[in-house]
Amino acid sequence: MTSLPTGAGAGTGATTPLTALPMQDRPGARLSGSCDLDTRHALSAALGVVTGIPGAVVHLDLSAVAFLDTAAVAALVQASAALKGEGRRLLLHDPPYSLRKVVEMFPDECAALEVAA
């Protein structure tokens, strides 16, 4: 997987670029930056690559993600649900506060998300 940088686009212009790099110790990727209107296409591309990684469990390290907007959380839910439909799991590591807050507000809609302990 290659880095997927994106700069500020048509949104606020204040976005931290989003990058996705492969994890060295397990199947998955590490995202860094912000996931919002300006980086939506980069997140979609990264999730497309991540969901294509073989294995029963695919990991997504979010420890370097500063912010996820509700659309980004919805994209994670869709990716997780797609993998569950294949009998696989998307395991999120160290999600930012913004993701935890959205899950708290919409527990039923976010039920497909699985966060590592």
Side-chain angles (χ1 to χ4, degrees):
M1 181 178 355
T2 59
S3 176
L4 299 168
T6 182
T12 64
T15 297
T16 304
L18 179 68
T19 58
L21 296 172
M23 296 177 80
Q24 299 302 314
D25 59 340
R26 60 187 108 174
R30 180 176 191 265
L31 297 183
S32 63
S34 292
C35 300
D36 57 20
L37 178 62
D38 292 331
T39 61
R40 194 155 296 149
H41 293 293
L43 177 62
S44 178
L47 290 176
V49 171
V50 166
T51 57
I53 295 172
V57 179
V58 180
H59 301 267
L60 192 59
D61 180 352
L62 301 173
S63 61
V65 172
F67 175 77
L68 288 121
D69 68 8
T70 55
V73 174
L76 289 174
V77 169
Q78 288 177 338
S80 184
L83 285 177
K84 281 187 181 185
E86 298 173 3
R88 303 168 61 209
R89 297 167 48 210
L90 177 64
L91 189 57
L92 307 178
H93 296 268
D94 300 314
Y97 174 79
S98 54
L99 183 137
R100 294 190 312 267
K101 195 65 178 172
V102 171
V103 169
E104 182 181 299
M105 292 187 313
F106 303 101
D108 293 338
E109 291 83 353
C110 296
L113 295 179
E114 184 177 354
V115 177

